[in-house]
Amino acid sequence: MKKILSGSIFALIATGAMADGFYINPQVAYSITSIEESRVEKSAQNGVWADFDGNKHETWSDKGHKFSPKIAVGYDFDMEKYGILSIEAEYGEVDNFFNALGFDTAENGDVPNDTDIRNFTYDERTLGINVKYGYKVYKFIPYLTAGIGYTTIESENNFRSGRYFWETPATTENMSWNIGVGVEVPLTDNVAFNLAYKYTDLGSVEYSNGMFYDNHAASQGGITRVFDSDVDLDKHEFIAGVKLAF
């Protein structure tokens, strides 16, 4: 994916002299990623995993704060008195680590044991296509933006309580979507400073976590309990960049 993006950027730069309206926009984003996990404990009943009396329904949520680089390449269509329409491809990566200890609550109000450790780590990569519409107001160009993306999430859901644990890695590929607002401040005919806010729904990651002992053997001679998890992810981004037109 990175090689494809690099090739696209090179092509835009190489043809810039002949293709008025192309641009490249390196950016820095401050992201606030929200995570919310819902877990349901199930046991083996008649050959299938099912709810049982006294099982646990747990939820926790947290927010991760990160600075990360992004880059966009696109084309501006100047419609003169009707404004400016832009189509761009954007790529970004964000990694986060969440420690759920202290955030966990059970359906009956219980809190985790002191020995309980719950971690969630992920590396999110998104390649998106955005449409922007702006209108020049004095020396500024405020705009609206919306788009869809192809998001890959490499994640791992870890839990430990005394001798019991699970370690569940997963690779999830989601369709994401985003909306946002921003403003461009032209500095020269070919350079503009860009500020934007963007909300992105990253979709969800699902797990089925079997319980194990320290020695990696299944508990009681076999996995008798699992936790089915559904992790929802979304993020708010505050973005600054320098737009270079060719």
Side-chain angles (χ1 to χ4, degrees), residues 1 15 36 40 55 63 69-70 72 76 81 124 144 147 156 165 175 200 211 213 217 228 231 234 239 241:
M1 189 177 293
T15 59
E36 183 173 345
V40 178
N55 70 336
K63 296 182 185 297
K70 303 186 75 171
D76 285 332
K81 65 179 181 179
E124 167 243 319
L144 302 174
E156 185 168 302
F165 77 97
M175 291 298 297
T200 303
M211 300 294 289
Y213 280 130
D228 284 348
V231 183
D234 61 63
I239 304 166

Side-chain angles (χ1 to χ4, degrees), residues 31 65-68 93-98 121-124:
S31 63
H65 302 258
K66 283 283 185 174
F67 283 99
S68 60
E93 296 184 0
V94 181
D95 62 272
N96 264 300
F97 171 85
F98 298 92
T121 61
Y122 84 96
D123 180 7
E124 167 243 319

Side-chain angles (χ1 to χ4, degrees), residues 112-139:
N113 298 325
D114 291 339
T115 58
D116 284 7
I117 299 174
R118 293 162 167 82
N119 295 327
F120 182 80
T121 61
Y122 84 96
D123 180 7
E124 167 243 319
R125 304 183 299 278
T126 298
L127 178 63
I129 299 295
N130 302 322
V131 176
K132 298 164 57 179
Y133 174 75
Y135 196 89
K136 190 170 183 179
V137 180
Y138 298 105
K139 295 184 178 181

